[in-house]
Amino acid sequence: MFGTRLVSQFSDGIFQFGVTGFAFFSPEKQTTALQIAAGLAVLFLPYSLLGPFVGVFIDRWSRRQILVVAPIVRGVLLLLAAALLAADVPDVWFYTAALAVLGVNRFFLAALGASLPHVVPKDRLLAANAVTPTSGTVLTFVGVGLGFLLRGVFGGDDVGTALLLATSAVVFGGSALIARTMDRDLLGPSFDPGRPQAREALRNVLAGLADGLKHLGRRRVAAATMGAMAAHRFLYGIATALGIILYRYYFTDGDVEAALRGATLVVATSGVGYFLAVFITPWATARFTLERWVPIALASAGVLTALLVTPFVEWGLLLAGFFLGIAGQSVKICADTAVQRDVEDAYLGRAFSIYDMLFNGMYVLAAGLAALILPPNGKSYLAVGIMAVGYVVAALGYRALTLRSRVPATK
């Protein structure tokens, strides 16, 4: 399962670089905060809309089979997207194919998250979440780096981007071959005789989603940690839009190639931060506990954002990307662990679907706010202030919720 994740997310990095370069760093396109918001909405909002329906099937279908079939479907869709781009069809058709690719990928990743408790003991889940999803994210960054190098070989035009997507399709197909080595029933879901059939469940998706939310509501630490992750994604979404506009115009005077190199370097420093979170999070949670480390990570992100981004110099953004990578991935590791540890297996698919809705929906919502507050060159003290204060408020809110959750246990 670890190998399946690494190969798939490496492929995803190549794909993300290709689509991001096409959408935000094409010489013939002018990029504004509003266009970034629209682009991110196109790429991420469907995850939130698909979330409830995804959970229904993840809690019913063989999760191993999902890991085998989804890469094949995604590979075919990637080849279709590449063909549409090379044929110079209107952008709407390309983005439609890209949306389908991302929808299948979210289904795949949610199945991976729900499967982990079947191969790792509960007392080792935090260590497993420090290694597996984070390693996958790091491989995504490596894929972005390879995409940057391949762009120099294939070219930065539509045909070059199409070749990047085709490369991603071939690599992603390899994850299906790895997934086939696992036993069909290894990853669950666990049998539940009282669970309704999928057709009936689809008719009652909203009721099932509400049931999943109620289940999470009875597990305050899992819900609060998921909320902390959502807060980070909102603030990180503002940081993403801010960074793209700054590099596109403020730092490079509209030089697309220089902007792409600078943005890729920020992604690389963030990737290093994500990687270090693998080692820092298990040590920190063992020393401080999960409930204390999450607010420490959030508050640190807020303070460092204020100090590093406010001067609006390139080295400040590089360092901010590094520290936000550590803090953000630490919170995600803790959120993954809290959900897998505290949520019953019959609800895991729905829990991770809700997780995905928050993960992507908050990112898009943040991009929408950025479109309202960012100036044309991206230099906005208001945006930096929102990020800095937002992280600290999220830390305080999380701490208050988790302290309340322990009160009944002491009586």
Side-chain angles (χ1 to χ4, degrees), residues 161-181:
T161 302
L163 290 172
L164 279 177
L165 299 184
T167 302
S168 175
V170 173
V171 175
F172 201 88
S175 64
L177 299 177
I178 298 172
R180 276 181 56 85
T181 64

mmCIF file with all atom_site columns, all heavy atoms in Angstrom, residues 161-181:
data_model
loop_
_atom_site.group_PDB
_atom_site.id
_atom_site.type_symbol
_atom_site.label_atom_id
_atom_site.label_alt_id
_atom_site.label_comp_id
_atom_site.label_asym_id
_atom_site.label_entity_id
_atom_site.label_seq_id
_atom_site.pdbx_PDB_ins_code
_atom_site.Cartn_x
_atom_site.Cartn_y
_atom_site.Cartn_z
_atom_site.occupancy
_atom_site.B_iso_or_equiv
_atom_site.pdbx_formal_charge
_atom_site.auth_seq_id
_atom_site.auth_comp_id
_atom_site.auth_asym_id
_atom_site.auth_atom_id
_atom_site.pdbx_PDB_model_num
ATOM 1   N N   . THR A 1 161 ? 3.012  20.572 -22.539 1.00 0.00 ? 161 THR A N   1
ATOM 2   C CA  . THR A 1 161 ? 2.159  20.251 -21.389 1.00 0.00 ? 161 THR A CA  1
ATOM 3   C C   . THR A 1 161 ? 1.433  18.929 -21.610 1.00 0.00 ? 161 THR A C   1
ATOM 4   O O   . THR A 1 161 ? 1.282  18.122 -20.682 1.00 0.00 ? 161 THR A O   1
ATOM 5   C CB  . THR A 1 161 ? 1.141  21.381 -21.150 1.00 0.00 ? 161 THR A CB  1
ATOM 6   O OG1 . THR A 1 161 ? 1.841  22.613 -20.935 1.00 0.00 ? 161 THR A OG1 1
ATOM 7   C CG2 . THR A 1 161 ? 0.281  21.075 -19.931 1.00 0.00 ? 161 THR A CG2 1
ATOM 8   N N   . ALA A 1 162 ? 0.990  18.681 -22.847 1.00 0.00 ? 162 ALA A N   1
ATOM 9   C CA  . ALA A 1 162 ? 0.318  17.416 -23.163 1.00 0.00 ? 162 ALA A CA  1
ATOM 10  C C   . ALA A 1 162 ? 1.253  16.235 -22.932 1.00 0.00 ? 162 ALA A C   1
ATOM 11  O O   . ALA A 1 162 ? 0.839  15.190 -22.411 1.00 0.00 ? 162 ALA A O   1
ATOM 12  C CB  . ALA A 1 162 ? -0.169 17.429 -24.612 1.00 0.00 ? 162 ALA A CB  1
ATOM 13  N N   . LEU A 1 163 ? 2.523  16.384 -23.288 1.00 0.00 ? 163 LEU A N   1
ATOM 14  C CA  . LEU A 1 163 ? 3.498  15.313 -23.054 1.00 0.00 ? 163 LEU A CA  1
ATOM 15  C C   . LEU A 1 163 ? 3.724  15.086 -21.554 1.00 0.00 ? 163 LEU A C   1
ATOM 16  O O   . LEU A 1 163 ? 3.916  13.949 -21.112 1.00 0.00 ? 163 LEU A O   1
ATOM 17  C CB  . LEU A 1 163 ? 4.819  15.640 -23.743 1.00 0.00 ? 163 LEU A CB  1
ATOM 18  C CG  . LEU A 1 163 ? 4.790  15.569 -25.279 1.00 0.00 ? 163 LEU A CG  1
ATOM 19  C CD1 . LEU A 1 163 ? 6.090  16.102 -25.863 1.00 0.00 ? 163 LEU A CD1 1
ATOM 20  C CD2 . LEU A 1 163 ? 4.545  14.127 -25.736 1.00 0.00 ? 163 LEU A CD2 1
ATOM 21  N N   . LEU A 1 164 ? 3.677  16.161 -20.770 1.00 0.00 ? 164 LEU A N   1
ATOM 22  C CA  . LEU A 1 164 ? 3.776  16.014 -19.312 1.00 0.00 ? 164 LEU A CA  1
ATOM 23  C C   . LEU A 1 164 ? 2.610  15.186 -18.775 1.00 0.00 ? 164 LEU A C   1
ATOM 24  O O   . LEU A 1 164 ? 2.791  14.289 -17.930 1.00 0.00 ? 164 LEU A O   1
ATOM 25  C CB  . LEU A 1 164 ? 3.775  17.387 -18.634 1.00 0.00 ? 164 LEU A CB  1
ATOM 26  C CG  . LEU A 1 164 ? 5.075  18.175 -18.582 1.00 0.00 ? 164 LEU A CG  1
ATOM 27  C CD1 . LEU A 1 164 ? 4.845  19.531 -17.926 1.00 0.00 ? 164 LEU A CD1 1
ATOM 28  C CD2 . LEU A 1 164 ? 6.144  17.401 -17.812 1.00 0.00 ? 164 LEU A CD2 1
ATOM 29  N N   . LEU A 1 165 ? 1.408  15.473 -19.247 1.00 0.00 ? 165 LEU A N   1
ATOM 30  C CA  . LEU A 1 165 ? 0.229  14.741 -18.787 1.00 0.00 ? 165 LEU A CA  1
ATOM 31  C C   . LEU A 1 165 ? 0.306  13.272 -19.199 1.00 0.00 ? 165 LEU A C   1
ATOM 32  O O   . LEU A 1 165 ? -0.078 12.381 -18.426 1.00 0.00 ? 165 LEU A O   1
ATOM 33  C CB  . LEU A 1 165 ? -1.045 15.378 -19.341 1.00 0.00 ? 165 LEU A CB  1
ATOM 34  C CG  . LEU A 1 165 ? -1.307 16.831 -18.943 1.00 0.00 ? 165 LEU A CG  1
ATOM 35  C CD1 . LEU A 1 165 ? -2.654 17.292 -19.480 1.00 0.00 ? 165 LEU A CD1 1
ATOM 36  C CD2 . LEU A 1 165 ? -1.263 17.014 -17.440 1.00 0.00 ? 165 LEU A CD2 1
ATOM 37  N N   . ALA A 1 166 ? 0.792  13.005 -20.406 1.00 0.00 ? 166 ALA A N   1
ATOM 38  C CA  . ALA A 1 166 ? 0.930  11.622 -20.852 1.00 0.00 ? 166 ALA A CA  1
ATOM 39  C C   . ALA A 1 166 ? 1.952  10.876 -19.999 1.00 0.00 ? 166 ALA A C   1
ATOM 40  O O   . ALA A 1 166 ? 1.759  9.702  -19.659 1.00 0.00 ? 166 ALA A O   1
ATOM 41  C CB  . ALA A 1 166 ? 1.336  11.589 -22.327 1.00 0.00 ? 166 ALA A CB  1
ATOM 42  N N   . THR A 1 167 ? 3.038  11.555 -19.645 1.00 0.00 ? 167 THR A N   1
ATOM 43  C CA  . THR A 1 167 ? 4.037  10.947 -18.754 1.00 0.00 ? 167 THR A CA  1
ATOM 44  C C   . THR A 1 167 ? 3.422  10.603 -17.406 1.00 0.00 ? 167 THR A C   1
ATOM 45  O O   . THR A 1 167 ? 3.645  9.523  -16.849 1.00 0.00 ? 167 THR A O   1
ATOM 46  C CB  . THR A 1 167 ? 5.222  11.912 -18.555 1.00 0.00 ? 167 THR A CB  1
ATOM 47  O OG1 . THR A 1 167 ? 5.798  12.227 -19.827 1.00 0.00 ? 167 THR A OG1 1
ATOM 48  C CG2 . THR A 1 167 ? 6.284  11.292 -17.661 1.00 0.00 ? 167 THR A CG2 1
ATOM 49  N N   . SER A 1 168 ? 2.627  11.527 -16.869 1.00 0.00 ? 168 SER A N   1
ATOM 50  C CA  . SER A 1 168 ? 1.948  11.285 -15.599 1.00 0.00 ? 168 SER A CA  1
ATOM 51  C C   . SER A 1 168 ? 1.025  10.070 -15.695 1.00 0.00 ? 168 SER A C   1
ATOM 52  O O   . SER A 1 168 ? 0.948  9.253  -14.762 1.00 0.00 ? 168 SER A O   1
ATOM 53  C CB  . SER A 1 168 ? 1.144  12.521 -15.195 1.00 0.00 ? 168 SER A CB  1
ATOM 54  O OG  . SER A 1 168 ? 0.384  12.289 -14.036 1.00 0.00 ? 168 SER A OG  1
ATOM 55  N N   . ALA A 1 169 ? 0.327  9.926  -16.831 1.00 0.00 ? 169 ALA A N   1
ATOM 56  C CA  . ALA A 1 169 ? -0.590 8.798  -17.017 1.00 0.00 ? 169 ALA A CA  1
ATOM 57  C C   . ALA A 1 169 ? 0.150  7.466  -16.957 1.00 0.00 ? 169 ALA A C   1
ATOM 58  O O   . ALA A 1 169 ? -0.302 6.512  -16.315 1.00 0.00 ? 169 ALA A O   1
ATOM 59  C CB  . ALA A 1 169 ? -1.322 8.934  -18.351 1.00 0.00 ? 169 ALA A CB  1
ATOM 60  N N   . VAL A 1 170 ? 1.290  7.395  -17.627 1.00 0.00 ? 170 VAL A N   1
ATOM 61  C CA  . VAL A 1 170 ? 2.066  6.143  -17.655 1.00 0.00 ? 170 VAL A CA  1
ATOM 62  C C   . VAL A 1 170 ? 2.572  5.789  -16.257 1.00 0.00 ? 170 VAL A C   1
ATOM 63  O O   . VAL A 1 170 ? 2.472  4.642  -15.804 1.00 0.00 ? 170 VAL A O   1
ATOM 64  C CB  . VAL A 1 170 ? 3.236  6.271  -18.641 1.00 0.00 ? 170 VAL A CB  1
ATOM 65  C CG1 . VAL A 1 170 ? 4.151  5.048  -18.539 1.00 0.00 ? 170 VAL A CG1 1
ATOM 66  C CG2 . VAL A 1 170 ? 2.722  6.420  -20.070 1.00 0.00 ? 170 VAL A CG2 1
ATOM 67  N N   . VAL A 1 171 ? 3.081  6.799  -15.542 1.00 0.00 ? 171 VAL A N   1
ATOM 68  C CA  . VAL A 1 171 ? 3.601  6.548  -14.195 1.00 0.00 ? 171 VAL A CA  1
ATOM 69  C C   . VAL A 1 171 ? 2.485  6.114  -13.253 1.00 0.00 ? 171 VAL A C   1
ATOM 70  O O   . VAL A 1 171 ? 2.641  5.169  -12.471 1.00 0.00 ? 171 VAL A O   1
ATOM 71  C CB  . VAL A 1 171 ? 4.312  7.811  -13.649 1.00 0.00 ? 171 VAL A CB  1
ATOM 72  C CG1 . VAL A 1 171 ? 4.739  7.602  -12.199 1.00 0.00 ? 171 VAL A CG1 1
ATOM 73  C CG2 . VAL A 1 171 ? 5.528  8.148  -14.502 1.00 0.00 ? 171 VAL A CG2 1
ATOM 74  N N   . PHE A 1 172 ? 1.342  6.783  -13.336 1.00 0.00 ? 172 PHE A N   1
ATOM 75  C CA  . PHE A 1 172 ? 0.243  6.455  -12.425 1.00 0.00 ? 172 PHE A CA  1
ATOM 76  C C   . PHE A 1 172 ? -0.257 5.034  -12.645 1.00 0.00 ? 172 PHE A C   1
ATOM 77  O O   . PHE A 1 172 ? -0.667 4.353  -11.686 1.00 0.00 ? 172 PHE A O   1
ATOM 78  C CB  . PHE A 1 172 ? -0.910 7.447  -12.615 1.00 0.00 ? 172 PHE A CB  1
ATOM 79  C CG  . PHE A 1 172 ? -1.838 7.521  -11.434 1.00 0.00 ? 172 PHE A CG  1
ATOM 80  C CD1 . PHE A 1 172 ? -1.588 8.393  -10.403 1.00 0.00 ? 172 PHE A CD1 1
ATOM 81  C CD2 . PHE A 1 172 ? -2.957 6.710  -11.359 1.00 0.00 ? 172 PHE A CD2 1
ATOM 82  C CE1 . PHE A 1 172 ? -2.436 8.458  -9.313  1.00 0.00 ? 172 PHE A CE1 1
ATOM 83  C CE2 . PHE A 1 172 ? -3.809 6.771  -10.277 1.00 0.00 ? 172 PHE A CE2 1
ATOM 84  C CZ  . PHE A 1 172 ? -3.547 7.645  -9.241  1.00 0.00 ? 172 PHE A CZ  1
ATOM 85  N N   . GLY A 1 173 ? -0.222 4.575  -13.885 1.00 0.00 ? 173 GLY A N   1
ATOM 86  C CA  . GLY A 1 173 ? -0.655 3.206  -14.146 1.00 0.00 ? 173 GLY A CA  1
ATOM 87  C C   . GLY A 1 173 ? 0.157  2.184  -13.383 1.00 0.00 ? 173 GLY A C   1
ATOM 88  O O   . GLY A 1 173 ? -0.343 1.098  -13.041 1.00 0.00 ? 173 GLY A O   1
ATOM 89  N N   . GLY A 1 174 ? 1.417  2.515  -13.072 1.00 0.00 ? 174 GLY A N   1
ATOM 90  C CA  . GLY A 1 174 ? 2.250  1.590  -12.300 1.00 0.00 ? 174 GLY A CA  1
ATOM 91  C C   . GLY A 1 174 ? 1.727  1.327  -10.907 1.00 0.00 ? 174 GLY A C   1
ATOM 92  O O   . GLY A 1 174 ? 1.961  0.252  -10.336 1.00 0.00 ? 174 GLY A O   1
ATOM 93  N N   . SER A 1 175 ? 0.985  2.297  -10.320 1.00 0.00 ? 175 SER A N   1
ATOM 94  C CA  . SER A 1 175 ? 0.456  2.086  -8.972  1.00 0.00 ? 175 SER A CA  1
ATOM 95  C C   . SER A 1 175 ? -0.590 0.978  -8.951  1.00 0.00 ? 175 SER A C   1
ATOM 96  O O   . SER A 1 175 ? -0.762 0.285  -7.945  1.00 0.00 ? 175 SER A O   1
ATOM 97  C CB  . SER A 1 175 ? -0.129 3.388  -8.418  1.00 0.00 ? 175 SER A CB  1
ATOM 98  O OG  . SER A 1 175 ? -1.239 3.806  -9.178  1.00 0.00 ? 175 SER A OG  1
ATOM 99  N N   . ALA A 1 176 ? -1.318 0.793  -10.064 1.00 0.00 ? 176 ALA A N   1
ATOM 100 C CA  . ALA A 1 176 ? -2.309 -0.288 -10.137 1.00 0.00 ? 176 ALA A CA  1
ATOM 101 C C   . ALA A 1 176 ? -1.620 -1.646 -10.086 1.00 0.00 ? 176 ALA A C   1
ATOM 102 O O   . ALA A 1 176 ? -2.116 -2.589 -9.443  1.00 0.00 ? 176 ALA A O   1
ATOM 103 C CB  . ALA A 1 176 ? -3.134 -0.167 -11.418 1.00 0.00 ? 176 ALA A CB  1
ATOM 104 N N   . LEU A 1 177 ? -0.482 -1.770 -10.738 1.00 0.00 ? 177 LEU A N   1
ATOM 105 C CA  . LEU A 1 177 ? 0.264  -3.031 -10.718 1.00 0.00 ? 177 LEU A CA  1
ATOM 106 C C   . LEU A 1 177 ? 0.747  -3.361 -9.308  1.00 0.00 ? 177 LEU A C   1
ATOM 107 O O   . LEU A 1 177 ? 0.731  -4.524 -8.885  1.00 0.00 ? 177 LEU A O   1
ATOM 108 C CB  . LEU A 1 177 ? 1.457  -2.947 -11.674 1.00 0.00 ? 177 LEU A CB  1
ATOM 109 C CG  . LEU A 1 177 ? 1.118  -2.707 -13.153 1.00 0.00 ? 177 LEU A CG  1
ATOM 110 C CD1 . LEU A 1 177 ? 2.401  -2.581 -13.965 1.00 0.00 ? 177 LEU A CD1 1
ATOM 111 C CD2 . LEU A 1 177 ? 0.241  -3.839 -13.687 1.00 0.00 ? 177 LEU A CD2 1
ATOM 112 N N   . ILE A 1 178 ? 1.157  -2.331 -8.574  1.00 0.00 ? 178 ILE A N   1
ATOM 113 C CA  . ILE A 1 178 ? 1.605  -2.562 -7.186  1.00 0.00 ? 178 ILE A CA  1
ATOM 114 C C   . ILE A 1 178 ? 0.423  -2.952 -6.309  1.00 0.00 ? 178 ILE A C   1
ATOM 115 O O   . ILE A 1 178 ? 0.509  -3.870 -5.482  1.00 0.00 ? 178 ILE A O   1
ATOM 116 C CB  . ILE A 1 178 ? 2.289  -1.296 -6.646  1.00 0.00 ? 178 ILE A CB  1
ATOM 117 C CG1 . ILE A 1 178 ? 3.532  -0.968 -7.470  1.00 0.00 ? 178 ILE A CG1 1
ATOM 118 C CG2 . ILE A 1 178 ? 2.677  -1.487 -5.176  1.00 0.00 ? 178 ILE A CG2 1
ATOM 119 C CD1 . ILE A 1 178 ? 4.160  0.363  -7.130  1.00 0.00 ? 178 ILE A CD1 1
ATOM 120 N N   . ALA A 1 179 ? -0.715 -2.272 -6.485  1.00 0.00 ? 179 ALA A N   1
ATOM 121 C CA  . ALA A 1 179 ? -1.895 -2.568 -5.660  1.00 0.00 ? 179 ALA A CA  1
ATOM 122 C C   . ALA A 1 179 ? -2.388 -3.998 -5.875  1.00 0.00 ? 179 ALA A C   1
ATOM 123 O O   . ALA A 1 179 ? -2.955 -4.617 -4.962  1.00 0.00 ? 179 ALA A O   1
ATOM 124 C CB  . ALA A 1 179 ? -3.007 -1.573 -5.965  1.00 0.00 ? 179 ALA A CB  1
ATOM 125 N N   . ARG A 1 180 ? -2.190 -4.542 -7.061  1.00 0.00 ? 180 ARG A N   1
ATOM 126 C CA  . ARG A 1 180 ? -2.643 -5.899 -7.358  1.00 0.00 ? 180 ARG A CA  1
ATOM 127 C C   . ARG A 1 180 ? -1.925 -6.953 -6.513  1.00 0.00 ? 180 ARG A C   1
ATOM 128 O O   . ARG A 1 180 ? -2.427 -8.082 -6.372  1.00 0.00 ? 180 ARG A O   1
ATOM 129 C CB  . ARG A 1 180 ? -2.423 -6.216 -8.845  1.00 0.00 ? 180 ARG A CB  1
ATOM 130 C CG  . ARG A 1 180 ? -3.543 -5.735 -9.746  1.00 0.00 ? 180 ARG A CG  1
ATOM 131 C CD  . ARG A 1 180 ? -3.268 -6.099 -11.195 1.00 0.00 ? 180 ARG A CD  1
ATOM 132 N NE  . ARG A 1 180 ? -3.057 -7.549 -11.356 1.00 0.00 ? 180 ARG A NE  1
ATOM 133 C CZ  . ARG A 1 180 ? -4.033 -8.442 -11.516 1.00 0.00 ? 180 ARG A CZ  1
ATOM 134 N NH1 . ARG A 1 180 ? -5.297 -8.034 -11.525 1.00 0.00 ? 180 ARG A NH1 1
ATOM 135 N NH2 . ARG A 1 180 ? -3.760 -9.708 -11.682 1.00 0.00 ? 180 ARG A NH2 1
ATOM 136 N N   . THR A 1 181 ? -0.776 -6.609 -5.939  1.00 0.00 ? 181 THR A N   1
ATOM 137 C CA  . THR A 1 181 ? -0.044 -7.593 -5.131  1.00 0.00 ? 181 THR A CA  1
ATOM 138 C C   . THR A 1 181 ? -0.681 -7.813 -3.766  1.00 0.00 ? 181 THR A C   1
ATOM 139 O O   . THR A 1 181 ? -0.294 -8.741 -3.051  1.00 0.00 ? 181 THR A O   1
ATOM 140 C CB  . THR A 1 181 ? 1.417  -7.141 -4.940  1.00 0.00 ? 181 THR A CB  1
ATOM 141 O OG1 . THR A 1 181 ? 1.450  -5.917 -4.200  1.00 0.00 ? 181 THR A OG1 1
ATOM 142 C CG2 . THR A 1 181 ? 2.104  -6.941 -6.287  1.00 0.00 ? 181 THR A CG2 1
#
